[in-house]
Amino acid sequence: MKSILISLKLLVRKDRKFYCLIKKITGITPVNAHYYHLAFLHKSLMRKDEQGAPLNNERLEYLGDAVLSAVVAHELFLRFPEKDEGALTKMRSRIVNRHNMNQLALKMGLNQLIRTQPLADMAQTHIPGDALEALIGAIYLDRGYKQTYRFILKKIINKQPNLISFVENDTNFKSLLIEWGQKNKCNIHFVTEEYPSQLANEMIFVAQAFINNKMLGEGEGSSKKEAQQNAACKALSNVSEIRELSLN
């Protein structure tokens, strides 16, 4: 009954479209709208509150990251009693890594709600994943731990069709490329440069992966590590060129 009354009140509000999107995406009826609006406010807008403090989603992201980590750790602990702490840690990191969180955020449609400076392609940034973590923080503050647990279970953990296969799939593309180079006696090296991004006070990294001094992969990222991983991934995908090099 309480939930119905809340829903009725939300329908008469000016931002009912926002509420409807939140409910559609999360399955949760917001009570305190402030948390959810804040969850999608990126720091690039340079907003401040009445006291002059920064008004963005970074604090909620910090909270959501901690709650997400705790929930995933708990669920993996229950599901895999035979795994030791090292394996569980690796499994958790695979689920909550930035690439996976970005992909999940985009599939949820969070890009419809994020407020930031205009971008050519939000999918090429870490903003969607950050917003998803901030949303988790908002749900936690608004509806409590149980509701947040259900959301993470349904929208993140259970979205992996085969959890074992997902967490054990090695996606450290840079390591894979270096191992391939050692096996095939090829020289592997990376060149990474830093450029100003479209967002205020942020930088973007562009990396190139070279095999035997031939550039076979280029990638971008919000960090040097992410850019090199993306470059290595593209280099590994050029199988025919790599094979030709290994024969020379």
Side-chain angles (χ1 to χ4, degrees):
M1 187 63 182
K2 182 179 179 181
S3 179
I4 295 174
L5 290 174
I6 293 172
S7 298
L8 290 173
K9 289 180 181 178
L10 297 181
L11 288 174
V12 300
R13 299 193 181 201
K14 293 180 181 179
D15 52 355
R16 61 181 177 274
K17 182 179 179 180
F18 176 80
Y19 281 93
C20 290
L21 279 172
I22 291 294
K23 188 169 184 179
K24 180 180 179 181
I25 290 170
T26 67
I28 294 170
T29 302
V31 175
N32 190 327
H34 170 72
Y35 295 133
Y36 299 89
H37 281 293
L38 192 60
F40 299 107
L41 192 62
H42 190 260
K43 65 180 180 180
S44 63
L45 295 178
M46 305 295 286
R47 297 284 179 84
K48 294 185 178 181
D49 62 18
E50 295 177 356
Q51 287 72 42
L55 195 63
N56 56 57
N57 65 2
E58 288 188 323
R59 281 169 54 84
L60 280 176
E61 179 192 340
Y62 157 78
L63 178 62
D65 176 63
V67 176
L68 172 65
S69 183
V71 170
V72 173
H74 185 198
E75 193 65 24
L76 292 176
F77 181 86
L78 295 176
R79 293 191 185 195
F80 303 102
E82 76 284 1
K83 299 288 186 181
D84 62 23
E85 68 278 11
L88 292 174
T89 298
K90 182 179 179 181
M91 293 168 78
R92 180 180 62 187
S93 67
R94 284 284 291 114
I95 293 172
V96 304
N97 72 48
R98 182 58 55 212
H99 176 75
N100 190 45
M101 294 297 287
N102 277 344
Q103 294 302 309
L104 289 171
L106 291 170
K107 287 179 181 179
M108 289 181 196
L110 297 192
N111 52 303
Q112 303 174 65
L113 299 169
I114 297 170
R115 299 170 65 188
T116 183
Q117 287 185 350
L119 294 170
D121 186 3
M122 189 179 296
Q124 299 302 314
T125 74
H126 56 91
I127 293 175
D130 293 345
L132 176 52
E133 290 180 349
L135 175 60
I136 291 169
I139 296 170
Y140 176 74
L141 291 176
D142 185 45
R143 302 307 302 270
Y145 184 74
K146 287 185 178 180
Q147 286 273 27
T148 310
Y149 198 112
R150 294 191 193 102
F151 171 76
I152 293 171
L153 187 63
K154 181 179 180 181
K155 298 292 186 176
I156 297 177
I157 299 175
N158 289 346
K159 283 299 180 180
Q160 319 310 327
N162 186 331
L163 194 56
I164 285 287
S165 175
F166 174 77
V167 298
E168 291 185 349
N169 180 30
D170 187 357
T171 56
N172 189 333
F173 299 113
K174 183 177 179 180
S175 293
L176 289 174
L177 182 61
I178 291 172
E179 288 174 8
W180 179 92
Q182 292 172 343
K183 181 179 179 180
N184 292 277
K185 298 181 180 180
C186 292
N187 176 261
I188 309 292
H189 75 275
F190 293 83
V191 174
T192 308
E193 297 181 340
E194 187 177 4
Y195 301 96
S197 75
Q198 298 178 49
L199 301 175
N201 302 319
E202 290 197 10
M203 303 298 290
I204 189 168
F205 293 83
V206 178
Q208 294 179 327
F210 289 82
I211 302 178
N212 286 352
N213 296 317
K214 182 172 183 178
M215 199 277 285
L216 287 180
E218 184 174 79
E220 296 183 1
S222 58
S223 67
K224 181 178 179 180
K225 179 180 178 181
E226 183 180 2
Q228 290 184 349
Q229 285 287 342
N230 291 334
C233 179
K234 290 182 180 179
L236 285 167
S237 69
N238 294 322
V239 178
S240 59
E241 291 188 63
I242 292 175
R243 284 178 177 172
E244 288 177 9
L245 284 171
S246 67
L247 294 174
N248 293 336

